Amino acid sequence: KAFAGDMLFVLTQQGNQESSASQLERGEIFLKTNDRLNADYEVLQFDANGIELKITLPDDREGAWILYCDVWHPDWTATVNDNAVVVSKANLAYKAVPLQPGENLVKFRFSSPSKKAFFGLVILNSLLWIGVVVWFIAGIFLGKRRKPAEIEFPSRDSE
């Protein structure tokens, strides 16, 4: 079957199974194989900044990873069964996280604190300018209408 963008790839780790948990946390465990594992999955939620999947692996399956073919960035975070995991760079550009045997609820989220701060400043700047424009318009329409000052000219009678 040809790949049409509708398949989920799950990579497995074989070889050195004695890798430490700290190596996994630092993203230092490298995948040695590229086997495809047929696993049941369901996409629960998808948007531009995240995806939530339910993946069911056989109970005896150790060392499986999910490869999510979306560009890796350090601001991506992931959880597997509500436990934070390191998002590792896979195949030079994508992201991967380890899975556990059985049912896995995987959530990828992108959140950039610097972008949030920048957008907050843009919103504050926009609100400031909207307030200034409303203040000027209110001053024009709600201000007291002044009568033109009456100019008194000296009369000729007073001479």
Side-chain angles (χ1 to χ4, degrees), residues 95-113:
K95 44 192 165 288
V97 296
L99 299 176
Q100 303 166 359
E103 189 169 288
N104 293 273
L105 180 62
V106 180
K107 296 178 187 177
F108 285 98
R109 296 300 305 149
F110 184 82
S111 179
S112 175

Side-chain angles (χ1 to χ4, degrees), residues 6-7 28 42 49 61 80-81 89 98 104-105 127 138 149:
D6 59 347
M7 293 181 230
E28 294 177 354
E42 178 183 0
N49 291 319
R61 187 62 182 187
V80 176
N81 297 330
K89 192 183 295 185
N104 293 273
L105 180 62
L127 290 174

Side-chain angles (χ1 to χ4, degrees), residues 3 8-9 15 18 25 27 35 52-53 60 85 94 96 99 102 114 125-126 138 151 156 158:
F3 178 70
L8 179 69
F9 294 98
E18 298 178 14
E25 289 173 8
D35 296 334
E52 186 175 331
L53 305 155
D60 60 346
V85 294
Y94 304 127
L99 299 176
S114 59
N125 184 37
S126 300
I151 301 175
R156 292 188 181 198
S158 58

Side-chain angles (χ1 to χ4, degrees), residues 46-67:
F46 176 79
D47 61 38
N49 291 319
I51 186 169
E52 186 175 331
L53 305 155
K54 184 171 76 170
I55 304 166
T56 305
L57 297 178
D59 288 332
D60 60 346
R61 187 62 182 187
E62 290 286 335
W65 289 63
I66 180 173
L67 171 66

Side-chain angles (χ1 to χ4, degrees), residues 114-130:
S114 59
K115 284 185 181 180
K116 283 183 181 178
F118 175 74
F119 289 143
L121 289 174
V122 169
I123 289 169
L124 287 175
N125 184 37
S126 300
L127 290 174
L128 173 73
W129 283 106
I130 290 171

Side-chain angles (χ1 to χ4, degrees), residues 2-86:
F3 178 70
D6 59 347
M7 293 181 230
L8 179 69
F9 294 98
V10 180
L11 302 178
T12 61
Q13 176 185 353
Q14 294 177 350
N16 182 9
Q17 295 294 328
E18 298 178 14
S19 302
S20 69
S22 62
Q23 283 180 306
L24 180 63
E25 289 173 8
R26 293 190 309 262
E28 294 177 354
I29 296 176
F30 300 101
L31 303 176
K32 298 185 187 294
T33 63
N34 193 10
D35 296 334
R36 178 185 226 161
L37 177 63
N38 290 324
D40 293 330
Y41 71 93
E42 178 183 0
V43 177
L44 303 174
Q45 187 269 333
F46 176 79
D47 61 38
N49 291 319
I51 186 169
E52 186 175 331
L53 305 155
K54 184 171 76 170
I55 304 166
T56 305
L57 297 178
D59 288 332
D60 60 346
R61 187 62 182 187
E62 290 286 335
W65 289 63
I66 180 173
L67 171 66
Y68 180 37
C69 292
D70 185 32
V71 179
W72 180 89
H73 187 276
D75 289 332
W76 276 99
T77 60
T79 61
V80 176
N81 297 330
D82 294 324
N83 296 316
V85 294
V86 173

